[in-house]
Amino acid sequence: MAVKELKVFDQKLYTIVHAITDTIIPPGGAFDVDPKVVDPVLLFDNYIDNMSRLQLKAIKAVIYTIEYAPLVTRLKRFTKMSPEQRLKYLQGWENSRIFTKRNIFLLIKMLALMAFYSDDAVAEAIHYHPECLIKD
Amino acid sequence: MLFTYNDITKDVVERPDVCIIGSGAGGAAMADVLSGAGLDVVVLEEGGYYTKDRYSTYKPAVAMKILYRDYGGTIAFGKNPIMLPLGKAVGGTTVINSGTCFRTPDSILKDWAERYGVENASSKDMEPYFKQVEKKINVTQVSPQVLGKNGLVFKRGADALGMSNGMLMHNMINCHGCGRCAFGCPHDAKQAVHLNFIPSALEHGARVYANARAENITVEAGRVTRIQGSIINEQTGNKLFGLNVFPKLLVVSAGAIYTPYILEKNNINLSPELGRNLTIHPAVRITAMFDEIIEGYKGVPQGSYVDAYASEGIMLEGIFVPPEIGLPILAPIGKKNKEIAMAYDHLAAFGVMVSDKNSYGRVKVGIDKRPFITYHFDPYDFKKLVKGIAIASEIFFAAGAKTVNPSIYGIREFTSPDDIAQLFTKKVPLTSVEMMAFHPLGTARMGETKDHSVVNSYGKAHGLDNLFISDGSIFPSSLGVNPQVTIMSFAIRNAQYIVENKKALLNHG
Ligand SMILES: Cc1cc2nc3c(=O)[nH]c(=O)nc-3n(C[C@H](O)[C@H](O)[C@H](O)COP(=O)(O)OP(=O)(O)OC[C@H]3O[C@@H](n4cnc5c(N)ncnc54)[C@H](O)[C@@H]3O)c2cc1C
Ligand code: SF4
């Protein structure tokens, strides 16, 4: 997916979503892609551009909740946390006993990862080479 | 003629014999038979018209954005929300379905006759319609060459345990085994209805409008007189032109969610049962890691089945999706996500689906004026699902799996067959299972009385002389098997009924 500019998120949301995607799929590890080539936030943004206004509002609301909810419990916004704190915090959403919380986070995670893993450079990095069993 | 929004330059006005809303399994088959009998037919389809050239350029995630309604994220709310993806295109959900074909089980047809008074729909009555459909959509068994390893390993496990299994019947011609059935077949191998019923309806003179959403239905003096709607820009979703159709007869084929929705929205309350009795075949995906390379994305994603427990309402069918669809759900966040991505070639997946015996759902018009779907998953049916998970896990281990992920929150992945017992010793709450469903049915069920059904045995609405329903909504109970052949077969049967009675049905007064 060749994407260049933001269609849905503004700069503030970009910063929050960047912190979220960096936690969901941290740099390094089992494979890596050049952040100059693959920007997970841009991919996410462009993927959801066809959603209805209501759906986009809901997604933005969840993103803001992720950012500001820790102010109450941890006296820190999500973007101000260290990478380790962010991971622990988002794992709290992912593994929450409250299934609504779990499902809301799943939505964000799904959209972000669907866009990310659809990118050609990422597919290459994970050695994903789909092909037909019977060729023409 | 087939028109898309690109072909239309002004408001559309049509005065056909029959207007059909929806071009999926039920609408397309109806359109073919009615137009073939010389009736003037107009089909309105909200989704776009896509061909294999376009599908092949879409990545699966992009196909979900374009060919599915709401990015595939339609949800049935309840104790545990269940994702219920729907197609939106010329060809309806058949464009993005897995292509599996089953006839309606005899026991189900018997039950409909006995419990709901459905007339003339025994297996013998339906036989010619099944045959017609199977010929039209080319139903054939998946060949070993395209089954792929995901289907093979599960078969291997089932064979080792002596469980009845086999290769599924599919509507396909020259399948390449590319694993993309659910994202639009790029080879036109899967015979979705835009490749057979729709083209032959067009040959018979039907006019199919893609990007055409039906919105308002006017009823006057007990008859439908007008359908108003919009021609929509596929890129922006904005209204381009108005649409006015004045048919002699209306067939609503918008699927089991959107048929009751559009009728209720227009206050066409045919029966207290409209929108009720939704069945969905709740399903879950079980995955397993193998030492051997599986490359599950190569081959027919739903190629094999295990029907050893079908009599209990538990069916196991293949299901495999490419990494961009699978990883977001399967893999946890953080480093582990990337590790599982790198191991995706070793992953196998199979689906468990159960028939809804006591569970039921409802479709209403929500406060946001969109369909609001609820579903009550009965504990008895949920037990079947858990049993299905146990069976699938057992099969995977018998096939040589290292680990099995039962898709249950709070239960770690199984590392040996002994772990499966947890499913019965621990409490497995409904909310802990990640479920999906693919077969909404039943929201405008057939029967002979208005109190208990919405349409009669031929799909004619109770109380309105020129309104028929032809889609998954007319079936009185869960089928236990994939429904497309049943939907098409009943559509042909009911279309013939309309043709035989056209004088009375079309000509008013
Ligand atoms: C991922 C997936 C896999 C599946 N796999 C299988 C399988 O292997 N085998 C099988 O038998 N079944 C399968 N199914 C189910 C099967 O495809 C459906 O049950 C079947 O297509 C339903 O037919 P229908 O006529 O009821 O509705 P649909 O085929 O959904 O058609 C309804 C059409 O109406 C249109 N519409 C709705 N409202 C309006 C409106 N207001 N104006 C104009 N148009 C409108 C919709 O856009 C849609 O195109 C699968 C489903 C999914 C989602
Ligand atoms: S597996 Fe076969 S039927 Fe499915 S998309 Fe590929 S070629 Fe088409």
Side-chain angles (χ1 to χ4, degrees):
Chain A
M1 279 197 283
V3 292
K4 291 187 184 72
E5 58 190 44
L6 289 174
K7 295 180 180 174
V8 176
F9 301 143
D10 56 20
Q11 207 47 51
K12 184 169 179 191
L13 273 164
Y14 181 94
T15 311
I16 305 171
V17 177
H18 192 271
I20 294 173
T21 53
D22 244 17
T23 312
I24 294 178
I25 15 163
F31 69 90
D32 221 354
V33 279
D34 183 350
K36 278 193 239 113
V37 179
V38 180
D39 180 342
V41 189
L42 263 182
L43 291 170
F44 183 178
D45 170 284
N46 280 227
Y47 186 56
I48 59 173
D49 67 338
N50 268 15
M51 287 195 164
S52 71
R53 253 195 299 170
L54 197 72
Q55 287 165 327
L56 289 178
K57 261 191 186 167
I59 286 172
K60 287 176 187 175
V62 177
I63 293 169
Y64 278 122
T65 309
I66 289 176
E67 168 72 345
Y68 290 108
L71 270 180
V72 182
T73 48
R74 296 161 202 235
L75 306 173
K76 236 186 207 173
R77 284 191 283 144
F78 177 69
T79 43
K80 299 285 172 207
M81 294 178 181
S82 69
E84 293 73 29
Q85 286 172 322
R86 285 180 190 168
L87 180 64
K88 231 177 144 201
Y89 171 65
L90 286 191
Q91 280 172 336
W93 279 77
E94 183 173 45
N95 301 316
S96 169
R97 281 168 179 278
I98 307 161
F99 80 102
T100 313
K101 190 170 170 186
R102 238 166 39 224
N103 279 332
I104 286 172
F105 179 69
L106 182 64
L107 171 79
I108 299 293
K109 176 186 156 196
M110 266 174 67
L111 292 169
L113 287 180
M114 278 166 81
F116 176 73
Y117 282 114
S118 290
D119 189 85
D120 286 337
V122 179
E124 193 51 49
I126 64 169
H127 312 304
Y128 168 53
H129 301 124
E131 57 183 39
C132 300
L133 287 178
I134 294 179
K135 313 238 165 33
D136 274 326
Chain B
M1 282 281 275
L2 190 144
F3 306 92
T4 71
Y5 74 106
N6 271 324
D7 307 313
I8 294 168
T9 51
K10 58 179 190 307
D11 285 359
V12 174
V13 180
E14 285 278 8
R15 295 178 192 279
D17 290 329
V18 181
C19 173
I20 301 174
I21 301 176
S23 66
M30 243 305 151
D32 182 26
V33 176
L34 295 181
S35 57
L39 294 176
D40 182 35
V41 174
V42 161
V43 179
L44 307 178
E45 170 53 55
E46 182 175 356
Y49 175 61
Y50 306 95
T51 58
K52 67 173 180 177
D53 303 332
R54 289 178 82 181
Y55 302 140
S56 46
T57 63
Y58 300 153
K59 295 267 175 62
V62 175
M64 293 201 67
K65 177 172 169 172
I66 294 171
L67 303 172
Y68 283 67
R69 211 171 261 282
D70 300 324
Y71 283 60
T74 308
I75 288 174
F77 291 94
K79 245 186 169 177
N80 189 0
I82 301 178
M83 202 106 89
L84 189 60
L86 303 171
K88 192 176 88 171
V90 172
T93 306
T94 70
V95 169
I96 49 94
N97 77 13
S98 303
T100 295
C101 293
F102 277 99
R103 289 184 176 193
T104 326
D106 294 356
S107 57
I108 297 290
L109 291 171
K110 252 194 208 142
D111 181 53
W112 291 352
E114 283 166 14
R115 279 206 296 157
Y116 303 95
V118 174
E119 294 169 0
N120 306 322
S122 66
S123 315
K124 204 164 152 237
D125 296 324
M126 292 305 297
E127 174 80 17
Y129 305 111
F130 292 146
K131 279 195 171 146
Q132 230 174 303
V133 168
E134 287 162 353
K135 192 166 168 220
K136 190 90 180 175
I137 64 172
N138 208 69
V139 175
T140 171
Q141 194 170 35
V142 171
S143 78
Q145 286 88 333
V146 292
L147 177 61
K149 239 182 141 184
N150 187 59
L152 267 177
V153 288
F154 206 75
K155 260 189 94 358
R156 184 172 78 200
D159 284 339
L161 295 170
M163 286 184 193
S164 164
N165 70 83
M167 250 96 98
L168 283 161
M169 303 298 285
H170 272 227
N171 49 335
M172 52 165 65
I173 300 172
N174 294 330
C175 169
H176 288 53
C178 72
R180 288 198 40 143
C181 307
F183 311 103
C185 173
H187 302 283
D188 275 357
K190 188 184 73 177
Q191 293 297 295
V193 295
H194 71 301
L195 297 176
N196 35 64
F197 286 111
I198 293 284
S200 72
L202 293 169
E203 264 176 39
H204 299 142
R207 292 178 300 293
V208 177
Y209 288 90
N211 314 111
R213 183 173 56 223
E215 287 152 1
N216 302 319
I217 302 172
T218 309
V219 175
E220 288 165 314
R223 290 183 73 82
V224 173
T225 53
R226 179 181 181 185
I227 294 96
Q228 281 172 290
S230 307
I231 302 292
I232 304 152
N233 181 323
E234 198 174 291
Q235 314 298 329
T236 62
N238 295 336
K239 176 175 175 165
L240 291 174
F241 298 103
L243 175 67
N244 275 289
V245 185
F246 301 89
K248 292 180 185 154
L249 186 134
L250 172 66
V251 181
V252 185
S253 300
I257 302 302
Y258 278 81
T259 284
Y261 163 74
I262 191 171
L263 292 171
E264 281 180 36
K265 201 166 152 236
N266 282 281
N267 295 316
I268 304 176
N269 299 314
L270 299 170
S271 148
E273 296 300 309
L274 181 68
R276 293 179 189 266
N277 312 306
L278 172 71
T279 63
I280 57 174
H281 286 157
V284 62
R285 176 178 43 196
I286 316 302
T287 55
M289 273 294 175
F290 284 77
D291 278 329
E292 66 194 277
I293 289 185
I294 308 287
E295 290 182 326
Y297 46 82
K298 293 183 186 170
V300 178
Q302 192 164 84
S304 60
Y305 69 94
V306 172
D307 64 352
Y309 295 85
S311 61
E312 294 177 35
I314 305 170
M315 268 301 276
L316 283 72
E317 292 178 6
I319 184 169
F320 201 93
V321 287
E324 60 261 56
I325 309 296
L327 287 169
I329 302 173
L330 295 175
I333 63 169
K335 288 214 163 80
K336 185 92 183 148
N337 195 283
K338 288 183 157 183
E339 283 162 22
I340 294 183
M342 290 304 278
Y344 208 74
D345 280 355
H346 294 264
L347 195 79
F350 226 75
V352 175
M353 89 179 177
V354 295
S355 48
D356 336 41
K357 184 121 180 86
N358 304 326
S359 313
Y360 53 87
R362 185 164 180 190
V363 178
K364 287 203 263 190
V365 180
I367 37 174
D368 57 353
K369 300 280 175 241
R370 289 168 48 83
F372 183 66
I373 311 164
T374 49
Y375 185 77
H376 162 77
F377 199 1
D378 183 80
Y380 170 80
D381 290 335
F382 182 62
K383 259 195 190 156
K384 287 191 298 198
L385 194 75
V386 175
K387 180 169 177 182
I389 296 173
I391 297 163
S393 308
E394 217 184 313
I395 293 174
F396 269 134
F397 279 120
K402 270 194 317 189
T403 57
V404 174
N405 181 347
S407 296
I408 300 176
Y409 169 78
I411 294 197
R412 280 168 173 271
E413 58 181 19
F414 302 148
T415 52
S416 92
D418 296 341
D419 293 342
I420 301 172
Q422 291 174 62
L423 293 175
F424 306 105
T425 52
K426 274 189 178 174
K427 190 170 162 26
V428 180
L430 180 60
T431 52
S432 65
V433 181
E434 293 161 15
M435 282 182 282
M436 292 190 89
F438 303 95
H439 305 150
L441 302 170
T443 49
R445 69 184 180 192
M446 289 184 281
E448 285 306 311
T449 63
K450 188 175 171 159
D451 285 348
H452 295 107
S453 57
V454 181
V455 295
N456 74 9
S457 302
Y458 292 93
K460 192 188 89 58
H462 292 311
L464 279 185
D465 288 340
N466 68 341
L467 174 63
F468 277 70
I469 296 177
S470 173
D471 56 27
S473 58
I474 65 171
F475 303 120
S477 68
S478 177
L479 300 177
V481 294
N482 313 49
Q484 65 173 346
V485 169
T486 301
I487 297 172
M488 296 175 205
S489 303
F490 271 85
I492 292 184
R493 167 186 177 270
N494 297 353
Q496 286 182 359
Y497 173 87
I498 295 175
V499 172
E500 282 157 19
N501 297 283
K502 65 181 177 200
K503 266 200 182 138
L505 292 167
L506 268 67
N507 300 322
H508 175 49

